[in-house]
Amino acid sequence: MAASNMEQIVSLCKRRGFIFPGSEIYGGLQGTFDYGPLGVELKNNLKRLWWRHNVYERDDMEGIETALLTNRYVLRYSGHEKGFSDPLIDNRTTKKRYRFDHLLKAQTPEVLTLLAEAFNLPADTDGESLADALLQEPEKAETALKAAKVIDSADGKPGDWTQPRSFNLMFKTQVGPVADEESFAYLRPETAQGMFVNFKNVLDSTNRKLPFGIAQMGKSFRNEITPRNFIFRVRELEQMEIEYFVFPGDDEAVHESWIQDHMDWWVNEVGLSRENLKLFEHIKLSHYSKRTVDILYNFPTLGFDELEGIANRTDWDLGSHSRAQDTLPLSANTAEKAMKNEHSVEKLTYFDDKTKKHIVPFVIEPAAGVDRGVLAALCEAYDEETLENGEVRVVLRLKPALAPIKVAVLPLKKNEPDIVATAKRIKNTLMAEGNMRSVYDDSAGIGKLYRRQDEVGTPFCITVDFDTLGRSNTGDNTNEGTVTVRDRDTMQQERVKIDDLLPYLQARLK
RNA sequence: GCGGGAGUAGCUCAGUGGUAGAGCGCUACCUUGCCAAGGUAGAUGUCGCGAGUUCGAAUCUCGUCUCCCGCUCCA
């Protein structure tokens, strides 16, 4: 059983130190969250699994880590500077909000003509161009929209429109000591561009042949209009992205194989159940995409929503960042729509030894949200189990590889110095020799200690008792040198020799 | 940005003008031989922030900030 509503997860996360609201003592900052002591472990574990699967366990991948700040031209030629914003407008009467360009496209030709006239534009100017023009002069636009009787489809009547406003979804920041118009940079809204602009560097330094890919994990920033739903939509997020380069023509099959591979990864390694996952085929594609398929997870409260997007970006990005584009064999869409590049000093091409020709590879991009992955893992693992005695046990059934704490070592009695010393020694050994994040806790009775560990997903608890010391009250000392190991999911216990603990646990934590 | 809801202990919340509360959690000690046990003691709050009304404000009024839900957006 997974979590049935998000509040359960939010509450547990704060109480036990997984995730806190950002800047909380100053009233918070919408769209930011801080990872606590357990959260950082969980998140790092998820990232480690991803890196291992996508980089180490394949023969065709290289990792990279690029700067969050980029030359402003990177995000100009990628299309973000122009396209990564949403013009919005409100109707005061119906309280509805619309994408401004969508609103205009839905109007009759007569209305559009009136608007065009008001702005001294040709009578047949289309909705999108009109939207661009009107956004330049919002006050004048407000008057013109009312005069032209722009209709709100919600009630079929002319709306009481506000000024149209443009929301740029990228954060801008100042670079260097002199604050002028030329000295700004954008915080990247996706890690992808760092991989495209380093395409040649990776190719030249590794001698890779197609097909091969570049992987990167890192922070991205999006000035979301409405951050919502805990860490699902945030303004500062972390991504796990791959740009996989292939010969044009191979792209469709490779795209399909990444979709299947990553669907399986979420199930087999993160532990999400297949019935809580599904694929979503994008109908309306972004400017660079030939096909985009999302992997959706069934989040509590939200329902199915995006966990990972896997896009066929064609040769759009490499083509867009290249100089002398008219000399390149670009696909029709890219050749037609890409901005003419007047700043790049490089052709982002690949020399094919077989045909002896320079080509522009196509790119398949699996892009997942780390924070969304953490949230999905938490939601999936959350369980409230009713025990035989009627009590309810909260347990996070995380995959052992994801669990923030692998082993808790507990003393049956904390006022018995030999038990305490033995427990602490075991804990230190597991950490030092087994590299297992382990903790010692004696701040409550044994039952409560178990439940605390259940709640944060610790797979195993080790308990040191009098038998361990050879001081059994029954006089039977056959268990000397052993401890009990309790399994999180079954609550079953097993006596294991201290000397065998490391291999015993390692075998079960895989 | 508009509409609605909310902000009181770590968490969940009660408290409609008169001493700041409960449950759980937390700390210490006692007890306890394995699944949130019991006892005793204890700590924890500018009642989001600011102003106003009042003898007196968590409570009423105004302002403000933040969060949540919906609309819109989500490459």
Side-chain angles (χ1 to χ4, degrees):
Chain A
M1 186 202 85
S4 57
N5 72 69
M6 200 72 94
E7 289 309 310
Q8 294 172 313
I9 301 296
V10 174
S11 177
L12 175 66
C13 281
K14 169 144 194 213
R15 189 159 44 82
R16 296 306 308 271
F18 282 94
I19 297 162
F20 309 121
S23 311
E24 196 178 12
I25 64 166
Y26 288 106
L29 178 63
Q30 207 183 13
T32 64
F33 287 89
D34 298 332
Y35 282 79
L38 296 182
V40 68
E41 300 290 343
L42 172 57
K43 188 181 183 189
N44 284 341
N45 290 342
L46 180 72
K47 287 161 67 179
R48 193 178 300 116
L49 285 183
W50 187 89
W51 195 262
R52 170 186 288 273
H53 178 82
N54 290 291
V55 181
Y56 298 161
E57 293 181 351
R58 298 179 61 108
D59 297 321
D60 54 358
M61 293 290 299
E62 299 287 349
I64 196 175
E65 183 172 312
T66 69
L68 278 70
L69 297 172
T70 52
N71 184 299
R72 49 189 293 202
Y73 292 126
V74 170
L75 290 159
R76 172 175 298 178
Y77 287 111
S78 70
H80 286 85
E81 191 170 65
K82 181 169 184 299
F84 199 58
S85 65
D86 290 324
L88 300 178
I89 188 165
D90 295 302
N91 181 352
R92 297 187 185 93
T93 311
T94 61
K95 310 297 183 193
K96 295 285 182 186
R97 165 171 289 183
Y98 296 95
R99 269 278 297 263
F100 185 46
D101 49 340
H102 293 179
L103 177 73
L104 293 190
K105 281 183 201 167
Q107 301 301 312
T108 62
E110 291 73 30
V111 170
L112 294 184
T113 301
L114 282 172
L115 287 173
E117 284 170 359
F119 276 73
N120 299 319
L121 292 166
D124 60 350
T125 306
D126 66 32
E128 195 162 334
S129 309
L130 269 176
D132 285 344
L134 267 63
L135 277 167
Q136 300 304 313
E137 297 177 81
E139 286 183 31
K140 190 174 161 190
E142 186 177 357
T143 314
L145 289 165
K146 282 173 194 164
K149 298 197 189 307
V150 168
I151 301 292
D152 185 340
S153 61
D155 60 358
K157 296 174 185 168
D160 180 10
W161 301 107
T162 62
Q163 294 181 16
R165 296 175 309 275
S166 188
F167 285 75
N168 193 321
L169 301 183
M170 288 198 291
F171 287 103
K172 233 179 195 181
T173 193
Q174 204 64 47
V175 175
V178 182
D180 61 42
E181 288 188 358
E182 295 301 309
S183 62
F184 71 86
Y186 294 110
L187 274 58
R188 64 182 182 197
E190 59 176 16
T191 68
Q193 297 304 322
M195 293 186 266
F196 295 128
V197 301
N198 279 290
F199 173 72
K200 273 294 203 186
N201 286 335
V202 173
L203 196 61
D204 294 346
S205 59
T206 64
N207 202 25
R208 282 286 183 184
K209 304 295 177 222
L210 286 187
F212 77 97
I214 305 178
Q216 168 159 245
M217 301 187 292
K219 289 288 184 82
S220 292
F221 301 84
R222 302 179 181 190
N223 191 20
E224 297 284 356
I225 300 163
T226 322
R228 278 293 153 85
N229 296 314
F230 197 36
I231 55 172
F232 182 81
R233 174 163 296 115
V234 286
R235 292 197 165 120
E236 178 176 338
L237 57 131
E238 189 154 7
Q239 294 182 298
M240 308 184 283
E241 291 196 297
I242 291 167
E243 305 302 337
Y244 193 81
F245 302 98
V246 299
F247 286 106
D250 294 347
D251 53 305
E252 292 181 13
V254 170
H255 190 190
E256 195 57 42
S257 74
W258 276 107
I259 294 167
Q260 296 310 323
D261 182 74
H262 275 202
M263 191 72 167
D264 290 343
W265 181 77
W266 287 109
V267 173
N268 297 333
E269 299 202 31
V270 183
L272 307 184
S273 57
R274 217 169 269 276
E275 59 264 30
N276 278 333
L277 289 166
K278 70 179 180 188
L279 297 176
F280 172 75
E281 185 86 34
H282 278 235
I283 297 153
K284 200 176 162 228
L285 297 169
S286 40
H287 59 284
Y288 55 70
S289 174
K290 178 172 165 185
R291 182 188 178 211
T292 300
V293 175
D294 288 347
I295 296 176
L296 309 184
Y297 179 73
N298 188 15
F299 291 96
T301 309
L302 326 191
F304 280 97
D305 215 328
E306 184 180 356
L307 189 59
E308 173 163 10
I310 306 176
N312 181 344
R313 293 178 78 129
T314 70
D315 54 355
W316 173 269
D317 297 277
L318 293 181
S320 293
H321 287 304
S322 287
R323 69 178 177 86
Q325 289 147 317
D326 48 2
T327 68
L328 304 179
L330 294 173
S331 66
N333 180 63
T334 302
E336 183 190 340
K337 294 185 187 164
M339 203 183 307
K340 183 171 165 46
N341 198 312
E342 296 171 339
H343 295 87
S344 173
V345 297
E346 195 76 68
K347 286 183 189 173
L348 301 183
T349 55
Y350 174 85
F351 184 71
D352 180 9
D353 289 309
K354 268 189 195 160
T355 61
K356 306 295 178 196
K357 283 182 178 167
H358 291 277
I359 64 147
V360 182
F362 269 39
V363 180
I364 304 301
E365 178 193 76
V370 178
D371 311 272
R372 290 180 179 185
V374 167
L375 183 59
L378 284 168
C379 293
E380 181 78 35
Y382 186 89
D383 190 15
E384 291 180 3
E385 180 186 23
T386 304
L387 303 174
E388 287 176 10
N389 63 9
E391 284 182 13
V392 174
R393 174 174 85 118
V394 174
V395 51
L396 278 189
R397 302 189 190 277
L398 291 168
K399 286 270 188 184
L402 286 177
I405 299 168
K406 308 303 182 193
V407 189
V409 188
L410 315 170
L412 190 63
K413 285 172 72 77
K414 65 174 166 179
N415 53 2
E416 186 56 49
D418 290 341
I419 287 182
V420 168
T422 304
K424 286 182 174 171
R425 196 178 69 238
I426 291 171
K427 180 255 167 188
N428 289 334
T429 304
L430 292 176
M431 189 65 239
E433 294 177 14
N435 201 28
M436 289 171 203
R437 167 72 166 154
S438 43
V439 297
Y440 168 87
D441 191 3
D442 67 5
S443 63
I446 190 70
K448 190 180 290 187
L449 293 179
Y450 285 149
R451 296 299 167 81
R452 270 190 201 154
Q453 296 301 328
D454 290 341
E455 197 178 48
V456 300
T458 306
F460 294 104
C461 289
I462 290 171
T463 301
V464 177
D465 58 13
F466 284 106
D467 287 16
T468 310
L469 306 176
R471 284 160 50 189
S472 172
N473 59 354
T474 64
D476 173 7
N477 284 329
T478 52
N479 283 331
E480 183 170 359
T482 68
V483 291
T484 62
V485 179
R486 171 194 180 266
D487 182 273
R488 176 195 69 197
D489 295 322
T490 64
M491 298 197 289
Q492 296 297 309
Q493 288 176 272
E494 195 174 345
R495 285 209 87 94
V496 178
K497 284 182 183 167
I498 293 174
D499 293 340
D500 296 340
L501 269 178
L502 210 49
Y504 178 95
L505 293 169
Q506 279 167 336
R508 288 163 178 76
L509 286 170
K510 277 182 181 165

